[in-house]
Amino acid sequence: FKYAILMGAWALSGKTKESTEEHAENCFGKKIKKKIFQQGIAEITKRKEEGDYVMLATGAHYAIASIFGKHVGADLVISTTSEVADGKYTLRVNRPLPYRDGKRDLVFEYIKDNHPNSTVTVYTDEEKDLPMLKRADVFVGVNADAEITNFVKQNKGLFMTFV
């Protein structure tokens, strides 16, 4: 998966930010938007109405993740980023990658710097987010795989199913 993240970022190399943003908007509108769980958007809306700060952390490149985050109402998107030179993406991907320990480190560094006394709730479905989940105060498995299900059960977390 880590290499898929890198390949996605490297695929943008040499492309301008403007053309990439236009393509990402088009792709989001045609392919991704209709696949978003409405229950997920409702949950984010509820959390924000209750005063929570909502972060989306993903391995996807910022070019698409930012559009997704805006659509679902996230306050911040933590995602893969590439260095830009002369208005074009380069092969240089910023580290750490938002994957496994890197995602955990990026998320919790931001929390420490900006929301140090907050209760951290992590919603996740896949085992690759286990390092981040283990640092949370509240655990929520959403359409969770077996490993996340086991962890959430053992730690008396919550479960949600989005259809």
Side-chain angles (χ1 to χ4, degrees):
F1 190 79
K2 180 172 75 172
Y3 295 106
I5 290 171
L6 290 171
M7 287 178 5
W10 292 336
L12 299 177
S13 178
K15 298 187 175 30
T16 65
K17 285 186 71 175
E18 291 91 22
S19 68
T20 301
E21 288 168 4
E22 183 178 313
H23 181 70
E25 285 274 356
N26 190 23
C27 176
F28 179 82
K30 288 183 178 177
K31 304 281 185 189
I32 298 170
K33 186 176 180 179
K34 61 187 167 198
K35 295 181 180 183
I36 297 172
F37 295 117
Q38 293 306 304
Q39 298 103 316
I41 293 174
E43 181 68 12
I44 290 169
T45 301
K46 177 182 166 191
R47 307 294 330 124
K48 290 183 70 156
E49 287 171 353
E50 293 176 1
D52 292 343
Y53 187 86
V54 176
M55 292 191 316
L56 168 67
T58 178
H61 196 276
Y62 188 78
I64 192 75
S66 62
I67 298 164
F68 182 88
K70 182 178 174 183
H71 179 75
V72 301
D75 295 302
L76 175 73
V77 174
I78 292 178
S79 60
T80 302
T81 56
S82 304
E83 291 183 25
V84 176
D86 299 322
K88 295 181 179 180
Y89 288 109
T90 70
L91 283 171
R92 293 181 300 277
V93 178
N94 296 312
R95 304 294 177 140
L97 289 177
Y99 174 72
R100 299 195 64 74
D101 293 348
K103 184 188 282 190
R104 177 205 57 214
D105 295 347
L106 289 165
V107 165
F108 283 91
E109 180 180 323
Y110 182 85
I111 292 168
K112 182 184 80 171
D113 292 345
N114 297 282
H115 303 279
N117 299 316
S118 62
T119 299
V120 177
T121 302
V122 171
Y123 292 71
T124 189
D125 61 344
E126 293 184 313
E127 173 274 333
K128 65 183 176 357
D129 290 337
L130 208 47
M132 187 173 58
L133 191 64
K134 289 178 178 179
R135 288 273 312 268
D137 300 304
V138 180
F139 320 104
V140 183
V142 179
N143 299 359
D145 66 17
E147 204 144 345
I148 294 299
T149 297
N150 289 336
F151 179 85
V152 171
K153 280 182 184 176
Q154 289 172 1
N155 291 280
K156 298 179 180 29
L158 307 168
F159 288 96
M160 300 181 96
T161 301
F162 295 161
V163 290

